[in-house]
Every structure is written in C-alpha cells, then in structure tokens.
Amino acid sequence: MPAGVSECAAPSTRDRLMEAVIDIAGHEGERTVTLSSVASRLGVTHGLVRHYFGTCEALLGEAFQLAAGQDMSDSNIAADTVDDFARGLVDMLETDTARQLMQFDLVLSAIRDPRSADTAKCLYARFYARTASTLAHAGIDDPDGDWSALLFAMVDGISLQHFLFKDDRRTEAMLSRVRTVLALLAGDDGEEGPPP
C-alpha cells in the first residue's frame, strides 16, 4: 500500500445488518422488516441475524436509535449560533432519505401501538435536548423545555413536508424563517429580551 494511504476497514457484520434494516424500513416500511428479509438482503442466514439481535423488535429498536443518533449529529440542530441552526438539513434529508423515512414510519407505528411509544418518546427527548442547546447558546431561557420541543416540532414537520413537496428551495426558506423566529426570541431584533 502506498505511503500515507490507510486501508479503510470494511463495515462490521453488525453495521451491515443495521444498514440493511434502515434501507428496508426506509424504502418498504417498518412492517416489512423481518429477520429473514434482512438476512436475504445481505445474503446471510436468518440465524446470523438472530445471533446478533435476537428478535425483530430488538433489531428495529437498535436501528431506530442508530438512525436518530446519526441525525442528531448530522442535522445541526445543536448549533452554536442561530445562523447555523439546521444548516445542511436539506442535504442530509436528500442524502439519507431511507434513514429519515424509517424514523417517521417507526414514530407512526408507535402512535398506532402504544407499547412501542416509550422508545420514540425517549429519542424525541434526546432531540429536544439538542435543540435546547441551541436555545441556550442563543441566550433563550427555556426552563420547562417548551421552546425546545416547539423548535424540534418545526424541524420535524419541515422534514416531513420536504419529502412530500421535494422542493429544496421551499424547505430552505422555511428553515430560514425558523432562524428568524429564533433571532427574535433571542432579542436580536434590536429590542430587549425574548417576547413573553
């Protein structure tokens, strides 16, 4: 191997299984994910998938957490400045469509079947914490977490609409308006402090 060139490690079996789950769930829906469908997608045995995850529920739960974790770092919803909030979100939505659609599908499933709602609620709480850090950096007081929940609800809704309208310009314009609201809350409109 030439000097200065490092050999990239191949994804682990577990990583490949997770990628397959996200791809299947994102393109075909969460209900189509089975241990067998994941095994078939990768050309491995059903037993191998069961060895790593045990149940389909565990497999989906881990894939959901992985996808949400990637989004938390890629979406820039924990920004240091209002101007940086959600920068690059449209690119992320376009690049990782299956990952996004899988998460929306799993949230809808949690609404239909309350037994799986705790996982979705826990992950939403993690997203709220990320938006809360943006509010804190902007000097916006949010003692009860309502502003951070509202801020993430806006991003969540804008993301969902992006998949329906498929209009980058429209999505960027809405995100720009969200930044304007944040600037107003932060008092960057020339007046003292956020509105009551």
Side-chain angles (χ1 to χ4, degrees):
M1 183 174 295
V5 176
S6 64
E7 190 174 325
C8 292
S12 70
T13 300
R14 186 178 204 82
D15 290 343
R16 290 178 50 234
L17 293 169
M18 288 287 92
E19 289 169 13
V21 171
I22 291 169
D23 189 60
I24 294 167
H27 288 104
E28 301 168 28
E30 171 256 342
R31 291 178 184 212
T32 64
V33 175
T34 64
L35 298 177
S36 295
S37 69
V38 173
S40 177
R41 175 71 54 106
L42 293 176
V44 298
T45 66
H46 174 276
L48 179 72
V49 181
R50 182 171 296 285
H51 166 75
Y52 276 95
F53 299 101
T55 67
C56 192
E57 291 77 22
L59 179 68
L60 280 165
E62 192 167 325
F64 186 48
Q65 292 201 30
L66 174 67
Q70 289 170 333
D71 284 352
M72 284 180 214
S73 62
D74 294 351
S75 64
N76 208 22
I77 60 171
D80 291 334
T81 68
V82 166
D83 286 339
D84 288 336
F85 179 75
R87 290 273 178 215
L89 180 68
V90 171
D91 290 337
M92 182 191 78
L93 294 173
E94 291 298 319
T95 303
D96 299 309
T97 301
R99 189 172 82 197
Q100 307 307 314
L101 293 177
M102 179 201 76
Q103 290 177 82
F104 282 122
D105 196 36
L106 286 170
V107 168
L108 290 172
S109 292
I111 293 167
R112 289 182 206 109
D113 181 3
R115 292 175 295 176
S116 58
D118 288 344
T119 300
K121 288 177 183 178
C122 179
L123 290 170
Y124 265 73
R126 290 174 54 202
F127 279 115
Y128 298 159
R130 303 288 287 196
T131 56
S133 73
T134 296
L135 296 174
H137 280 64
I140 299 169
D141 190 32
D142 187 24
D144 55 12
D146 289 344
W147 285 113
S148 58
L150 175 64
L151 182 56
F152 184 69
M154 287 189 283
V155 171
D156 210 23
I158 289 168
S159 298
L160 187 60
Q161 287 188 31
H162 179 78
F163 292 118
L164 177 64
F165 291 97
K166 300 183 186 314
D167 184 345
D168 293 359
R169 187 206 55 77
R170 179 181 185 277
T171 303
E172 289 289 2
M174 287 191 292
L175 289 170
S176 177
R177 296 293 188 227
V178 171
R179 290 183 204 102
T180 299
V181 169
L182 284 174
L184 290 170
L185 286 171
D188 290 347
D189 63 348
E191 296 186 19
E192 291 293 317

